[in-house]
Amino acid sequence: MLSRLFSEVLPDVQRLAADWVEDNEVEDDKAKEDDHEPCHLEEDELDEPQEGSSRAESEMAGDDDEDEEAEEEECGDENSEDKPKKRGPKKRKMTAARVERSKMRRVKANARERMRMHDLNSALDNLRKVVPCYSKTQKLSKIETLRLAKNYILALGEILRNGKRPDVVTYVQMLCKGLSQPTTNLVAGCLQLNTRNFLTEQCSDGARFHMPSSPFSVHPYSYRCSRLSSPHYQPGTGALNLRSHSYGSGYEAVYPPGGTSPDYSSPDYEGQHSPPVCLNGGLSGRQQESSETDRNYHYSVHYSGLTTSRPSHSIPFGPSGTRSGGAHSENIPPFHDVHLHHDRAPPYEDLNAFFHN
DNA sequence: TAGGCCATCTGGTCCT
DNA sequence: AGGACCAGATGGCCTA
């Protein structure tokens, strides 16, 4: 079979090679420039009839007389007689009218492409709004948005399969798989903040650690795992000190100033800046100076389908009541403006029930 | 200044 | 012909 193939093809190859050698001898200096010319010629000859035929058809259909003249002009152009004539459609000279039409087409195509990309971007914006950690002011990049959305879907699917809520660490790990360091820090920080607020609200007494009703199965050692450990872990509060916490690469969570919560006003939080939490490899990122905490980056976790029927679970910045009580920093919009999506489809309720008791 | 991210332009390809 | 889609190139902006 193979030998038969060779026997059939070999003569042609040899003939082509011989022709090529002849050509090269004639145009020796030109051959030095493009060694692969024979191959390209072959490919061109193979490809052009297919693509060129439609082009020729369309041009024949749409063009006027001046183009026919141009075509005739082109027949006698620089094509030297020593070169084998190319088969297939001839390249037609671009007259001024054709150039103009081509430009117009290009302009229109550019406008369409722009519109298309804008549509794509607005779709991405919509996606940003339904994944955890949405911010109007500091958007996730496109690629990170897609990665986070994928992880979010996988995580929710996992929860559905298992029929139980994960602990916060597992959940964060699921969400952050494959994300960049800044995004990982951001998501982790958001989730921990949410949990911590929940803890703070639910247990104002000393028994903060045992939270059977918490949205995650949080226990006092959850934050002490090797990947989430932080020197700023607050043993007394069961939470990381995340106030004015930056998450590297410009990502930063800004929390309301002290006073909205007993924990925030505690001296323990004054002047302490936590390093970003790193799930992928310990602590990383950079410490932000306090001046940088003035930037308007507002992050929080939102769970699609949160409803006001469970007010105690919608506590992004602190205990319920403080949110509507004007206790925000003035830079922080009302939570529901940024994070909540009450118009989400009801089925999400069930999913979120895992996280919201 | 390098690197990341982004918007835009552009040519190619496929489809109607 | 023309539109949609795609990928490469390019330049601007921002941040570390």
Side-chain angles (χ1 to χ4, degrees):
Chain A
M1 173 78 177
L2 208 64
S3 58
R4 190 165 61 87
L5 207 79
F6 269 118
S7 62
E8 286 176 0
V9 172
L10 205 56
D12 286 339
V13 174
Q14 286 173 335
R15 182 173 48 80
L16 283 172
D19 289 346
W20 180 69
V21 168
E22 273 184 24
D23 289 344
N24 281 348
E25 285 173 354
V26 172
E27 312 173 19
D28 198 18
D29 46 350
K30 190 176 181 183
K32 280 176 190 170
E33 289 178 9
D34 27 19
D35 271 347
H36 303 73
E37 185 69 17
C39 298
H40 284 278
L41 269 176
E42 293 251 326
E43 284 174 8
D44 286 347
E45 286 183 3
L46 285 175
D47 289 341
E48 270 191 7
Q50 184 189 7
E51 177 193 330
S53 60
S54 65
R55 194 184 295 163
E57 275 174 19
S58 58
E59 283 179 5
M60 288 294 275
D63 287 341
D64 46 15
D65 292 338
E66 66 171 354
D67 287 332
E68 286 181 12
E69 289 174 14
E71 188 175 346
E72 286 187 4
E73 266 179 34
E74 199 211 13
C75 289
D77 66 354
E78 78 280 356
N79 245 0
S80 53
E81 53 277 346
D82 51 350
K83 266 193 172 181
K85 273 195 175 178
K86 262 191 171 182
R87 285 173 297 176
K90 299 158 185 132
K91 302 262 178 177
R92 307 177 69 183
K93 193 175 181 179
M94 293 292 279
T95 65
R98 285 168 62 83
V99 168
E100 203 56 33
R101 273 201 299 275
S102 177
K103 276 184 184 172
M104 283 303 296
R105 270 204 304 272
R106 197 58 258 174
V107 168
K108 281 167 70 179
N110 288 346
R112 282 195 308 273
E113 179 68 8
R114 232 176 291 133
M115 284 292 296
R116 198 179 68 86
M117 295 311 293
H118 288 168
D119 284 349
L120 193 60
N121 287 340
S122 69
L124 260 168
D125 275 338
N126 289 336
L127 186 59
R128 284 188 184 100
K129 291 173 186 171
V130 297
V131 296
C133 292
Y134 168 63
S135 166
K136 278 180 180 171
T137 53
Q138 183 74 22
K139 294 192 296 188
L140 290 177
S141 72
K142 293 177 177 181
I143 185 70
E144 294 295 89
T145 302
L146 292 175
R147 286 177 180 144
L148 180 57
K150 184 205 77 175
N151 290 348
Y152 189 38
I153 292 169
L154 290 177
L156 294 178
E158 195 68 22
I159 290 163
L160 276 179
R161 255 194 309 280
N162 294 341
K164 64 176 184 180
R165 57 184 178 235
D167 63 81
V168 65
V169 176
T170 304
Y171 182 63
V172 169
Q173 284 174 344
M174 282 193 284
L175 283 187
C176 295
K177 196 172 284 183
L179 297 186
S180 70
Q181 193 63 68
T183 311
T184 296
N185 294 338
L186 166 66
V187 173
C190 287
L191 286 168
Q192 287 170 347
L193 171 65
N194 194 63
T195 304
R196 161 239 154 98
N197 284 332
F198 188 91
L199 292 171
T200 309
E201 181 197 62
Q202 293 276 318
C203 280
S204 55
D205 59 7
R208 296 172 189 268
F209 288 142
H210 301 286
M211 297 293 303
S213 62
S214 93
F216 306 99
S217 49
V218 176
H219 56 79
Y221 309 108
S222 289
Y223 297 125
R224 293 188 172 186
C225 75
S226 59
R227 304 183 112 188
L228 282 175
S229 64
S230 164
H232 298 270
Y233 170 76
Q234 303 289 319
T237 62
L240 287 165
N241 173 13
L242 292 174
R243 188 181 175 199
S244 295
H245 185 130
S246 68
Y247 296 107
S249 272
Y251 295 105
E252 184 178 353
V254 178
Y255 307 120
T260 60
S261 154
D263 290 326
Y264 289 138
S265 61
S266 162
D268 290 343
Y269 288 95
E270 294 292 329
Q272 290 192 23
H273 299 273
S274 304
V277 177
C278 169
L279 288 181
N280 292 340
L283 302 171
S284 70
R286 59 185 174 87
Q287 297 262 5
Q288 300 280 339
E289 295 307 318
S290 58
S291 63
E292 290 201 42
T293 64
D294 294 331
R295 296 161 65 179
N296 297 344
Y297 298 160
H298 319 301
Y299 286 104
S300 183
V301 176
H302 70 76
Y303 299 110
S304 309
L306 278 178
T307 65
T308 51
S309 63
R310 289 185 186 141
S312 65
H313 299 150
S314 308
I315 43 170
F317 293 128
S320 60
T322 61
R323 199 180 77 225
S324 57
H328 306 281
S329 155
E330 58 184 354
N331 292 330
I332 299 174
F335 174 69
H336 53 266
D337 286 348
V338 182
H339 310 288
L340 291 182
H341 306 277
H342 297 288
D343 54 344
R344 290 300 303 267
Y348 285 87
E349 286 267 346
D350 293 338
L351 285 178
N352 291 313
F354 286 111
F355 299 103
H356 303 285
N357 205 9

